Amino acid sequence: MLRLFRPTPRLLLRRRAAATATPPSDGASYLNLPSPYIPGGVDFWRGFSSTASQLQIGLPNRADDPNPDPGGGPESSSAQPSTYFKMFESAVTTLASVTVLGLIGYGYTKYYKYMVLKKMEHAFDPGDPVLDLAAEGRGTPSSKAGTGPEWISRDEQAKIEAIVSGREKGRYYLIIGEKGTGKSSMLIEAMQKIDGEGVSMLEAHADVEIFRIRLGRALDFEYHEDNIGALFSIRGPRDASALLDVERAFNKLEKVALRRRKETGRPLVLIINSAHLLRDDVDGQNLLELVQQRAEQWAASHLCTVVFNSDDYWVYERLKLQGTRLEVLPVLDLPKHKAISALRSYRHQYYAEEPPQSLLESIYDKVGGRLAFLSKVAKAPDMQHACDDICIREKTWLLNQCWILGEEMDDDVMDQQKFASAALVLVKALVDKEKEMDKSYDPETGYILPEIPLHKARQIMTRADFIQEYDKINVFTIDSRAMVRADSVPMQVAFREVCALPGFDEYLQATLDRISAIESLGRTRELVLKDLVDKGTKYNITTRNAKGQLERITTFEKPEKEEEEGVD
């Protein structure tokens, strides 16, 4: 049944008065109007009571209403729908704000990840900062570097070019050789021929944090340090060690390599130059192991070819432990005919002159086929004097690092003298080995340096831990065949001169005897029996073996005092 609402007489009178009344012109007059006439009702003005008190303006109030309606009615229930509406409006506003913030944060995150991969792909585009620096050093444009007469072609160059260009797949490589043999130059030359496309190169460092920064620079990866996701309440990657950052960089590199392989069909190439600069400690070994694990995975999937370039043998020893797909590429000194050709080319470039063949051969006899030495000699005005300076410098380096102090040395320098004496013992062994060889010089190939197997060298020195340090300070070198020899031809010349010093053998033996005496003194304990004063006092010292069985008994007893012979 439909029930109609019948207004009361009082309500009819109030509506009629409101319809015939004239609206007041000032706000204060609202206080004398009936409640239905007030715009918005009394509840409307109640909401502005606090604001009105702050602004000190007169606004109507429920207490000032001359016709309060305590009994309620339709007007008293109009406040509840307004409250619900405000609650709904606040909820919708909050939800919309959170949704917009989430969408913006999600969009920024997707855009940031896309840009990270895009920047890393750009790092393997044609052109590389290493090539620009090499071109500046040679004073030639990067596109022409390596094609002039200053470049010397080597037998290993074709292999390295195949590796850098991506034609060699399924392996990762260790290029090992002495300092100054031209390893880095061959890598840069191979990069220049392809304009650095698909190749990135970085220099290793002993500090893992610096290695992390250099890796990020080579890959154009910021390790999320430029991420502003915190503005959208999105937490970025947590701060961690340098090894974890290197792992993150390799994760991104793997994604880039997958894209690149689909486009070009060739793997990326990552060159780690001067890998021997990593410390042979826990941090350095962990970093090398991390890189090797990725190198093994990428070589198996043809994603990326990692190339290590090292001067020292210990890197090979570490990589050999897990080196399933490792391939070692040794780089040695130039043979005689190539060394003379290189020296002639260098001299023509720097001074535009053609030195005689006899002068070039005499220079090779002094410095050998080391490219670093040949370049220095060719730049000098007097090449013979430059050769003598190199030989003197190598001999001085040997004596400063490994000279012995003889029989009069103090026991405080025992550790250093052990290191020095062991080195000179090996020097003498190499010189004696050279004397026993059928020939140490071939007119066609040049020098044949004497060499000793690594295990035999450790046996000669009676120490197994010194040889790595000798390799590090460039006195001896250990090649990929684990053969020990002098680091260079000038160093072998220095070995001969040191061993030819008058009285060298006796001086070395005296030093070794002094070291043995100090070690023996350190192992000796002196027992003094001070109370053997009375006749008949004795000590019994019992000696037992490790099983507690009696071996011998030693008795100490004061002898009887002999009578004096002769009486005055």
Side-chain angles (χ1 to χ4, degrees):
M1 178 182 295
L2 181 62
R3 298 184 61 182
L4 300 176
F5 172 73
R6 294 183 61 188
T8 60
R10 181 179 178 183
L11 181 58
L12 292 173
L13 291 174
R14 294 177 65 183
R15 288 179 177 176
R16 188 178 300 130
T20 58
T22 303
S25 59
D26 56 337
S29 302
Y30 280 111
L31 300 177
N32 300 323
L33 293 177
S35 175
Y37 181 76
I38 300 176
V42 177
D43 294 330
F44 175 82
W45 293 102
R46 180 187 298 174
F48 292 88
S49 60
S50 60
T51 306
S53 62
Q54 295 177 6
L55 299 177
Q56 297 181 359
I57 59 175
L59 293 176
N61 195 341
R62 171 70 78 174
D64 300 330
D65 189 359
N67 299 314
D69 188 8
E75 293 84 355
S76 62
S77 63
S78 62
Q80 292 188 8
S82 176
T83 302
Y84 294 147
F85 178 75
K86 291 180 179 179
M87 293 173 58
F88 175 75
E89 183 182 16
S90 299
V92 171
T93 303
T94 303
L95 179 61
S97 301
V98 173
T99 303
V100 172
L101 183 64
L103 290 176
I104 295 176
Y106 176 77
Y108 172 77
T109 302
K110 297 292 290 184
Y111 169 77
Y112 180 80
K113 291 183 177 180
Y114 168 79
M115 289 304 298
V116 166
L117 297 180
K118 195 70 176 177
K119 289 168 60 179
M120 192 170 289
E121 287 180 355
H122 178 69
F124 292 92
D125 288 342
D128 193 278
V130 175
L131 301 181
D132 298 335
L133 293 175
E136 291 294 333
R138 294 180 179 181
T140 57
S142 58
S143 60
K144 297 182 180 179
T147 60
E150 74 280 354
W151 177 249
I152 305 301
S153 179
R154 304 190 52 149
D155 297 337
E156 301 88 355
Q157 186 65 39
K159 178 71 172 180
I160 292 179
E161 289 178 1
I163 295 171
V164 173
S165 63
R167 298 194 302 271
E168 293 281 345
K169 303 177 183 178
R171 295 278 181 176
Y172 65 100
Y173 300 88
L174 171 64
I175 302 176
I176 186 171
E178 296 87 350
K179 180 180 68 174
T181 53
K183 304 183 297 297
S184 300
S185 299
M186 286 191 291
L187 288 170
I188 294 174
E189 167 69 12
M191 290 176 62
Q192 287 168 342
K193 289 188 176 181
I194 60 173
D195 199 17
E197 182 180 2
V199 185
S200 185
M201 184 176 183
L202 71 143
E203 294 285 335
H205 194 272
D207 193 337
V208 184
E209 288 289 344
I210 297 180
F211 181 89
R212 161 191 172 273
I213 294 175
R214 291 181 177 179
L215 177 64
R217 179 175 177 269
L219 300 180
D220 202 0
F221 182 59
E222 299 291 340
Y223 301 102
H224 302 283
E225 293 174 353
D226 56 347
N227 192 325
I228 58 173
L231 296 177
F232 310 106
S233 301
I234 299 176
R235 183 181 179 184
R238 64 185 181 89
D239 296 334
S241 63
L243 286 179
L244 185 57
D245 284 339
V246 173
E247 178 71 14
R248 288 170 179 163
F250 286 160
N251 290 336
K252 298 296 182 182
L253 178 59
E254 193 170 287
K255 296 180 180 179
V256 173
L258 285 169
R259 294 183 183 180
R260 193 91 175 191
R261 188 181 63 178
K262 293 179 181 179
E263 296 175 359
T264 63
R266 293 185 289 107
L268 298 177
V269 179
L270 179 63
I271 301 173
I272 302 177
N273 198 28
S274 302
H276 59 277
L277 295 181
L278 297 175
R279 291 196 182 100
D280 191 13
D281 56 6
V282 176
D283 292 337
Q285 293 171 11
N286 291 339
L287 176 60
L288 196 59
E289 181 181 0
L290 171 63
V291 179
Q292 185 183 18
Q293 287 177 351
R294 290 304 184 116
E296 290 277 351
Q297 297 173 5
W298 294 339
S301 56
H302 296 181
L303 284 179
C304 181
T305 302
V306 180
V307 179
F308 299 94
N309 184 14
S310 174
D311 295 351
D312 296 343
Y313 178 76
W314 77 267
V315 179
Y316 170 72
E317 283 188 333
R318 293 296 173 184
L319 295 179
K320 184 69 172 62
L321 297 176
Q322 303 176 359
T324 304
R325 296 176 177 85
L326 174 66
E327 184 172 336
V328 181
L329 186 61
V331 178
L332 306 176
D333 289 344
L334 291 174
K336 181 178 179 180
H337 65 281
K338 288 194 173 183
I340 293 177
S341 176
L343 184 59
R344 181 183 291 110
S345 176
Y346 285 148
R347 192 65 178 179
H348 180 75
Q349 176 192 357
Y350 297 134
Y351 289 94
E353 65 180 27
E354 294 291 338
Q357 182 71 16
S358 60
L359 176 61
L360 297 178
E361 290 184 356
S362 65
I363 292 174
Y364 175 81
D365 293 341
K366 292 183 178 180
V367 298
R370 186 67 52 88
L371 278 176
F373 294 156
L374 295 176
S375 178
K376 291 180 182 178
V377 171
K379 292 179 182 179
D382 188 351
M383 292 193 292
Q384 289 285 7
H385 182 70
C387 291
D388 296 337
D389 286 343
I390 290 175
C391 294
I392 292 174
R393 190 159 49 244
E394 292 296 304
K395 181 179 178 181
T396 303
W397 175 256
L398 171 64
L399 296 178
N400 289 341
Q401 297 295 320
C402 303
W403 188 238
I404 50 180
L405 301 181
E407 186 178 21
E408 296 80 11
M409 74 174 184
D410 192 79
D411 56 355
D412 292 337
V413 297
M414 196 131 87
D415 293 336
Q416 191 275 337
Q417 283 298 290
K418 285 182 179 180
F419 179 84
S421 60
L424 291 184
V425 168
L426 186 56
V427 165
K428 186 175 183 299
L430 286 174
V431 173
D432 294 341
K433 177 78 173 180
E434 186 179 24
K435 295 177 182 179
E436 297 173 359
M437 294 171 58
D438 295 336
K439 61 177 181 178
S440 60
Y441 185 88
D442 187 272
E444 297 296 331
T445 60
Y447 274 104
I448 304 175
L449 296 179
E451 53 187 15
I452 299 175
L454 178 60
H455 69 280
K456 188 68 176 179
R458 287 171 171 165
Q459 178 183 347
I460 293 172
M461 295 186 301
T462 67
R463 293 293 296 257
D465 53 341
F466 285 161
I467 190 65
Q468 179 176 321
E469 189 65 24
Y470 298 149
D471 188 16
K472 186 176 180 180
I473 63 176
N474 300 320
V475 172
F476 301 98
T477 187
I478 311 172
D479 61 13
S480 58
R481 300 176 295 112
M483 300 297 290
V484 181
R485 62 175 179 272
D487 185 75
S488 61
V489 170
M491 187 61 72
Q492 181 66 28
V493 174
F495 288 176
R496 297 194 207 106
E497 293 179 356
V498 168
C499 292
L501 292 175
F504 171 76
D505 294 343
E506 293 78 9
Y507 194 67
L508 176 60
Q509 188 60 44
T511 303
L512 296 175
D513 293 341
R514 174 59 176 165
I515 292 175
S516 300
I518 295 175
E519 288 181 340
S520 176
L521 185 61
R523 293 190 296 264
T524 303
R525 296 294 180 267
E526 182 179 353
L527 180 63
V528 179
L529 305 177
K530 296 184 178 180
D531 54 352
L532 287 175
V533 293
D534 298 330
K535 181 180 180 181
T537 304
K538 64 178 62 175
Y539 283 93
N540 292 329
I541 298 179
T542 303
T543 304
R544 299 179 182 272
N545 58 18
K547 297 181 180 180
Q549 298 174 353
L550 181 64
E551 288 188 348
R552 66 177 182 271
I553 298 177
T554 305
T555 302
F556 291 91
E557 184 177 1
K558 180 179 180 182
E560 295 182 359
K561 191 175 183 180
E562 298 179 357
E563 295 182 356
E564 296 181 1
E565 295 181 359
V567 180
D568 294 341

